[in-house]
Amino acid sequence: MENVIDTLWHEYQSTQFLFTQRLSCDFPFAIITAHNPSGLLLSPSQNRLLDRQLQSKIQQYNSPYRALVGAAPDLSHMEKSWAVFIDKEQALELGREFNQHAIYYVKQGMLSLVACNDAIMPEVDMGVFNHCLHLVNELPDISSPK
């Protein structure tokens, strides 16, 4: 199991974020997904259900949020995600609730990868968030398996 976590942790560090509009980095925000909990690949319908549950939880914070897609650099793997203007501890609670290994956190324009269980891996500084941001006209449809 440890090798699986190591592999995923390495892959998480090369994630690209697809947005339809630029996001202000003036305020800290988290990037969270509910897709594929515990690293298990679920069906598109299972992921959609979890995504709706996550969005419902996010709405309870009464904070701005925006849909995005987190993707491998070659777009071979994509997950619907949310940018949410909440603090890091709230984001980690959400990540844990949805059985995620990690969340991303952006503060003062700098991106970090943060393990939901800090015993797994140390926080990783990934550099300038805008370097991982790709603007698209519309978010890709990830509802059907590749």
Side-chain angles (χ1 to χ4, degrees):
M1 181 68 166
E2 191 170 314
N3 287 339
V4 171
I5 300 288
D6 289 342
T7 300
L8 285 172
W9 197 251
H10 179 72
E11 290 173 359
Y12 293 161
Q13 293 177 54
S14 62
T15 298
Q16 303 295 302
F17 302 100
L18 310 178
F19 281 89
T20 56
Q21 295 177 321
R22 283 214 176 271
L23 207 60
S24 171
C25 292
D26 292 342
F27 302 98
F29 63 92
I31 298 174
I32 305 168
T33 187
H35 280 212
N36 304 315
S38 301
L40 302 173
L41 293 176
L42 299 183
S43 71
S45 61
Q46 290 171 310
N47 279 327
R48 278 193 306 276
L49 177 62
L50 289 170
D51 181 63
R52 284 194 291 272
Q53 292 171 354
L54 175 57
Q55 185 180 14
S56 178
K57 285 283 193 178
I58 288 169
Q59 290 170 338
Q60 294 174 14
Y61 286 103
N62 292 319
S63 294
Y65 65 95
R66 183 170 303 151
L68 67 125
V69 170
D74 64 359
L75 305 182
S76 61
H77 181 82
M78 295 187 271
E79 294 185 358
K80 168 90 175 284
S81 302
W82 299 92
V84 190
F85 289 83
I86 57 177
D87 67 43
K88 189 189 293 186
E89 194 48 49
Q90 291 171 313
L92 287 167
E93 286 174 22
L94 269 179
R96 286 189 287 266
E97 182 174 345
F98 285 87
N99 298 309
Q100 296 298 306
H101 290 303
I103 57 134
Y104 296 93
Y105 203 74
V106 178
K107 185 173 181 181
Q108 297 178 333
M110 301 303 288
L111 176 66
S112 295
L113 174 61
V114 186
C116 290
N117 174 352
D118 57 12
I120 294 176
M121 294 286 182
E123 186 169 327
V124 176
D125 176 6
M126 293 178 53
V128 178
F129 172 68
N130 284 338
H131 293 170
C132 300
L133 170 69
H134 296 280
L135 294 177
V136 295
N137 290 329
E138 61 184 11
L139 294 177
D141 178 13
I142 57 175
S143 62
S144 56
K146 301 287 180 229

